[in-house]
């Protein structure tokens, strides 16, 4: 280690405040992770006191630097910083209630719980990948409004676990390719994980890996403030994204536990805390920070006030001020509602027979012309997902004027980056892949839902209807799996009209992500009124027979066509069957009970969906049947598969006939 200069000693005292607060909070909670906050306290102190552009009094300043604690288990680092810097909504009492119910100091940082928490982290690697999206959004916004209004950095503290996760490769590869020079990752290089030394599981030269992906890399002593200062300054000056390997000692300052896995995720214990206070020369009671040290931190929290005020003046004087304010509000729904209503009328008149992935493309053409806020993309399936429309332009290294991101074969990375774009503000990101590959992205889809972000997942080839690619590409359990996620709208439209309605609903959400499950096979346009958005109710009666129902057929997406054909067969036998289209279960569940009862009726019910039954019984009830999948698909043309697996109009009619007594 190095010899402390006077300046370094001041920095060390400020860093020791972080260490003390972290160990005290974890000890009081009797759970938590003190090791990382104690090890990275010096690095964090240098970053926030010397480099971060922010104003603690205005945590939502649009041109602030973003800080992402990817190693979210070390949340006390973030909470201690926010308390010391004077962020609103982070008091000493909140630190004392670390990990307790109702406190903003959750076990892992939770977006929306306290000002300054830029994203939810904890699932390792996702913070880093989300930060890539933030850095992309910064350049996208700057390309539209200029560097006078948009010019900030995104900083990440990542741990060994973040870099072991496969997602990290997707993220660093994309960031290096796009030359995201305002992205700086500070790696907590402490060589310790939960199981013990990291060499139990990895021998990776991380600097070489980042360099191979086009990053600027450096190695420093993470406990030398001047070395860290020089490294961050060099990173800011380099035209590439930067990774700084900060060699640290986990649990730094704890005489009996530093450098050991035992300090990673457990309290130090009372005796060790006494020894640590002595080792750090910190003779203060728990949660007490000396006035002089707190004053230094609070001054750092105010340091960016003048920069923010200068920015406010530039914004007020900018000819783009009004457009910028409108952009930040992100009210895309208001821009697209009228054009989409006209589009639905046109579809009702023309009655195209197209796949819903194609009608999605048609709707997107209308949407992307009506608003400049949508940012599209695909995980290397652009011309299968149909996610690009005329004039969007591709985002490329050095050119962020386009609106379409080629994410490559990186479903998880794409989803996490879209979360970052949404968090940055203004844009409405959407990205495509096959429904079956939503499994690869599920971790980030879950965080979209947990954080309440307006992210739209365009998931095509949504059933055995994709045909010859076979069971590896034919989703059967995915709708049930995604419907199980809280706060996620799962749309499965039946035709071009419903597809446009679902897009309108997805873009109107302010705190809920959406996924569109879209067909590969062509589907006819349904006969139905277009004077209102019927999909907004989640389910609606598409066909009501005169004189009451003998049966009710419920279906989604591509199987609505089959349900209608089954009703026709029943009608020929004198059986009166209603047909209900159910494009979004979540919205239907949110309707009044009286409306749900009216739609479902009291007659026996048949559910039809080219997927597994799981979840359907809540709508079907006891006297019911389900026409769908009970196992995996097969490789063959779509029509052959539907017949083989018994998802046919004849099967629907037979099931309904059996339920009502064999007419």
């Amino acid at each position: 280690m190095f010899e402390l200069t006077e300046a370094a000693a001041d920095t060390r005292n400020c860093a020791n405040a972080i260490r003390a607060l972290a160990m005290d909070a974890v000890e009081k909670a009797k759970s938590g992770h003190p090791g990382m906050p104690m090890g990275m306290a010096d690095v964090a102190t240098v970053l926030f006191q010397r480099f971060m552009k922010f104003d603690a009094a205005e945590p939502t300043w649009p041109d602030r630097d973003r800080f992402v604690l990817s190693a979210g288990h070390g949340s006390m680092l973030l909470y201690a910083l926010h308390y010391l810097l004077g962020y609103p909504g982070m008091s000493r009492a909140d630190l004392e209630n670390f990990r307790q119910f109702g406190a903003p100091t959750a076990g892992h940082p939770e977006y929306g719980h306290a000002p300054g928490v830029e994203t939810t982290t904890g699932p390792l690697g996702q913070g880093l990948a989300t930060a890539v999206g933030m850095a992309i959004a910064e350049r996208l916004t700057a390309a539209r409004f200029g560097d006078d209004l948009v010019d900030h950095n995104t900083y990440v503290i990542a741990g060994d676990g973040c870099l072991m996760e496969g997602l990290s490769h997707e993220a660093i590869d994309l960031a290096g390719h796009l030359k995201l020079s305002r992205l700086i990752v500070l790696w907590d290089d402490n060589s310790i994980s939960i199981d013990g030394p990291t060499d139990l599981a990895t021998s990776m030269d991380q600097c070489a890996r980042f360099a191979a992906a086009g990053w600027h890399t450096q190695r420093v002593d993470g406990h030398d403030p001047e070395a860290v200062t020089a490294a961050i300054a060099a990173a800011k000056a380099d035209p590439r994204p930067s990774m700084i390997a900060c060699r640290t000692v986990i649990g730094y300052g704890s005489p009996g536990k530093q450098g050991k896995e035992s300090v990673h995720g457990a309290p130090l214990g009372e005796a060790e805390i006494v020894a640590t206070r002595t080792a750090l020369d910190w003779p203060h009671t728990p949660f007490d920070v000396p006035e002089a040290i707190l004053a230094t931190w609070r001054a750092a929290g105010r340091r960016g006030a003048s920069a923010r005020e200068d920015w406010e003046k530039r914004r007020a004087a900018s000819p783009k001020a009004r457009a910028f304010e409108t952009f930040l509000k992100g009210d895309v729904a208001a821009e697209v509602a009228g054009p989409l209503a006209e589009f639905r009328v046109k579809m009702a008149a023309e009655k195209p027979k197209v796949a819903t992935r194609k009608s999605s493309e048609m709707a997107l053409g209308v949407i992307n012309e009506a608003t400049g806020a949508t940012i599209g993309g695909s995980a290397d399936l652009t011309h299968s997902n149909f996610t690009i429309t005329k004039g969007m332009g591709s985002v490329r290294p050095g050119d962020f004027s386009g609106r379409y991101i080629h994410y490559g074969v990186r479903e998880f990375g794409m989803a996490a980056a879209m979360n970052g774009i949404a968090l940055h503000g203004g844009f409405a990101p959407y990205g495509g892949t096959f429904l079956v590959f939503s499994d690869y992205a599920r971790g980030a889809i879950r965080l979209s839902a947990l954080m309440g972000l307006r992210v739209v997942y365009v998931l095509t080839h949504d059933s055995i209807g994709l045909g010859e690619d076979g069971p590896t590409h034919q989703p059967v359990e995915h709708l049930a799996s995604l419907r199980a996620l809280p706060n996620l709208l799962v749309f499965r439209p039946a035709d071009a009209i419903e597809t446009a309605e679902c897009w309108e609903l997805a873009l109107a959400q302010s705190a809920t992500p959406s996924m569109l499950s879209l067909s590969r096979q062509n589907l006819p346009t349904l006969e139905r009124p277009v004077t209102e958005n019927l999909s907004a109710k989640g389910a609606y009666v598409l066909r009501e027979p005169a004189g009451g129902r003998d049966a009710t057929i419920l279906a989604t997406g591509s199987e609505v066509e089959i349900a209608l054909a089954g009703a026709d067969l029943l009608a020929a036998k004198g059986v009166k069957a209603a047909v209900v289209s159910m494009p979004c279960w979540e919205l239907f569940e949110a309707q009044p009970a009286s409306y749900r009862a009216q739609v479902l009726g009291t007659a026996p019910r048949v559910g039809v969906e080219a997927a597994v039954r799981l979840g359907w019984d809540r709508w079907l009830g006891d006297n019911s049947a389900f026409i769908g999948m009970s196992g995996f698909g097969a490789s063959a043309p779509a029509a052959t598969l539907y017949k083989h697996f018994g998802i046919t109009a004849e099967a629907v009619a037979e099931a309904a006939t059996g339920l009502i007594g064999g007419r």
Side-chain angles (χ1 to χ4, degrees):
M1 292 297 174
F2 64 99
E3 184 176 348
L4 284 175
T5 63
E6 184 175 350
D10 289 341
T11 300
R12 176 59 55 80
N13 287 333
C14 286
N16 285 343
I18 297 174
R19 294 185 172 99
L21 291 172
M23 69 181 185
D24 290 342
V26 172
E27 184 66 27
K28 188 172 187 296
K30 300 303 179 187
S31 72
H33 300 75
M36 193 280 280
M38 296 177 75
M40 284 295 281
D42 295 310
V43 173
T45 299
V46 169
L47 177 63
F48 276 84
Q49 291 194 355
R50 303 183 187 182
F51 289 98
M52 281 282 293
K53 183 176 75 171
F54 71 104
D55 181 358
E58 296 288 344
T60 60
W61 171 25
D63 201 35
R64 69 191 180 279
D65 285 347
R66 269 61 169 181
F67 172 70
V68 174
L69 185 66
S70 189
H73 54 274
S75 57
M76 265 310 302
L77 175 71
L78 188 61
Y79 303 147
L81 282 166
H82 285 184
Y83 166 68
L84 293 168
L85 291 163
Y87 274 81
M90 189 60 65
S91 65
R92 170 174 167 160
D94 293 324
L95 302 187
E96 292 175 343
N97 283 294
F98 176 55
R99 286 180 161 235
Q100 304 309 302
F101 182 77
T105 45
H108 293 84
E110 301 284 353
Y111 175 70
H113 284 211
V117 178
E118 301 284 5
T119 181
T120 295
T121 56
L124 294 178
Q126 282 207 58
L128 170 58
T130 301
V132 170
M134 292 178 178
I136 291 171
E138 189 272 343
R139 286 294 84 197
L140 290 171
T141 312
R144 285 145 182 78
F145 298 102
D147 287 346
D148 278 352
L149 294 181
V150 186
D151 184 12
H152 53 266
N153 294 294
T154 301
Y155 294 96
V156 180
I157 285 182
D160 290 303
C162 293
L163 301 192
M164 287 188 214
E165 288 285 358
L167 173 60
S168 72
H169 179 75
E170 297 184 25
I172 68 172
D173 191 4
L174 181 61
H177 169 70
L178 290 176
K179 296 181 169 54
L180 299 176
S181 62
R182 288 168 174 78
L183 177 63
I184 298 174
V185 173
L186 301 156
W187 169 35
D188 181 18
D189 179 18
N190 60 31
S191 299
I192 289 291
S193 62
I194 292 176
D195 279 1
T198 54
D199 63 12
L200 290 170
T202 180
S203 303
M204 179 68 69
D205 182 338
Q206 294 292 355
C207 283
R209 181 165 76 112
F210 275 78
W215 288 56
H216 172 234
T217 65
Q218 303 172 81
R219 294 183 183 273
V220 298
D221 181 342
H223 300 297
D224 180 346
E226 301 313 315
V228 173
T229 298
I232 296 175
K236 290 185 66 176
D238 199 273
R240 297 165 290 178
S242 288
M243 188 274 272
I244 304 170
C246 303
R247 193 74 177 104
T248 62
V249 177
I250 191 171
Y252 185 92
S254 169
K257 294 191 175 183
Q258 67 179 15
K260 300 176 182 177
E261 64 269 20
S262 59
V263 78
H264 171 88
L268 297 183
E270 292 182 9
E272 186 63 20
I273 284 180
V274 170
T276 303
R277 291 191 193 284
T278 300
L280 295 176
D281 191 20
W282 191 264
H284 312 293
T285 55
F287 300 101
D288 279 338
V289 178
E291 186 176 337
I293 293 176
L294 186 58
T296 299
W297 272 112
R298 294 291 161 86
R302 296 188 298 270
R303 179 174 51 82
S306 60
R308 179 185 57 79
E309 290 164 1
D310 289 343
W311 179 87
E312 295 281 5
K313 293 174 184 176
R314 293 198 305 275
R315 180 181 63 173
S318 172
K320 297 182 177 180
R322 179 171 295 183
F324 188 61
E325 287 300 312
T326 299
F327 166 76
L328 290 178
K329 290 177 182 177
D331 190 6
V332 176
E335 297 177 292
V336 305
L340 282 176
E342 294 176 4
F343 175 77
R344 292 197 297 271
V345 171
K346 180 182 178 183
M347 293 299 100
E350 296 179 356
K351 295 181 171 51
K353 185 173 183 178
V354 294
T356 50
R357 63 169 177 158
K358 182 63 178 178
S359 53
S360 171
E361 178 190 46
M362 294 158 64
L364 277 171
V366 174
I367 291 165
N368 291 334
E369 185 176 346
T371 179
T374 45
I375 297 294
S378 172
D380 199 50
L381 289 168
T382 293
H383 301 295
S384 292
N385 301 146
F386 295 163
T387 39
I388 197 168
T389 61
K390 183 179 179 181
M392 292 189 78
S394 296
V395 172
R396 301 181 184 278
D399 181 3
F400 289 82
S401 60
R403 295 170 57 191
Y404 194 84
I405 301 172
H406 296 275
Y407 288 102
V409 188
R410 305 182 183 104
E411 292 87 358
F412 199 172
M414 174 181 72
M418 288 197 295
N419 285 343
I421 293 170
L423 286 163
H424 192 270
F427 291 115
Y430 68 86
T433 186
F434 291 173
L435 176 58
V436 75
F437 299 139
S438 64
D439 284 345
Y440 287 156
R442 187 179 175 85
I445 296 173
R446 185 174 189 271
L447 285 194
S448 301
L450 181 59
M451 290 189 278
L453 303 180
R454 182 183 58 189
V455 175
V456 183
Y457 297 93
V458 182
L459 304 177
T460 69
H461 296 62
D462 71 345
S463 72
I464 58 171
L466 71 87
E468 291 86 346
D469 276 348
T472 59
H473 285 53
Q474 293 166 358
V476 292
E477 78 278 21
H478 296 74
L479 288 170
S481 173
L482 290 163
R483 285 169 178 155
L485 273 177
N487 195 40
L488 175 69
L489 295 181
V490 178
F491 292 104
R492 192 163 188 253
D495 70 348
I497 295 172
E498 282 193 359
T499 301
E501 290 179 333
C502 293
W503 263 113
E504 180 180 5
L505 293 165
L507 293 173
Q509 303 306 310
S510 60
T512 304
S514 302
M515 59 146 288
L516 276 71
S517 172
L518 304 173
S519 74
R520 180 179 184 268
Q521 69 270 39
N522 292 336
L523 303 173
T525 299
L526 307 176
E527 289 286 349
R528 45 148 290 183
V530 292
T531 52
E532 65 174 309
N533 187 328
L534 292 175
S535 294
K537 297 180 182 297
Y540 61 94
V541 179
L542 184 62
R543 179 186 294 180
E544 186 74 79
R549 306 179 186 179
D550 296 320
T552 300
I553 306 170
L554 312 174
T556 75
S558 48
E559 284 68 69
V560 172
E561 175 187 19
I562 294 172
L564 289 167
D568 289 339
L569 292 177
L570 290 167
K573 297 179 179 180
V575 177
K576 295 174 290 187
V579 176
V580 174
S581 178
M582 305 185 73
C584 183
W585 288 12
E586 295 78 20
L587 292 180
F588 184 55
E589 194 166 25
Q591 300 305 308
S594 58
Y595 176 76
R596 296 199 305 271
Q598 173 191 340
V599 169
L600 296 173
T602 57
R605 300 169 196 159
V606 178
V608 193
E609 187 172 67
V612 296
R613 180 170 181 150
L614 185 65
W616 269 95
D617 288 293
R618 80 174 92 167
W619 312 124
L620 295 177
D622 292 333
N623 189 21
S624 64
F626 178 73
I627 306 299
M629 299 294 293
S630 58
F632 295 109
S635 178
T640 301
L641 293 173
Y642 271 86
K643 183 177 181 180
H644 172 77
F645 289 107
I647 307 175
T648 63
E650 291 77 11
V652 170
E654 182 180 348
T657 301
L659 292 172
I660 60 178
R663 284 192 202 176

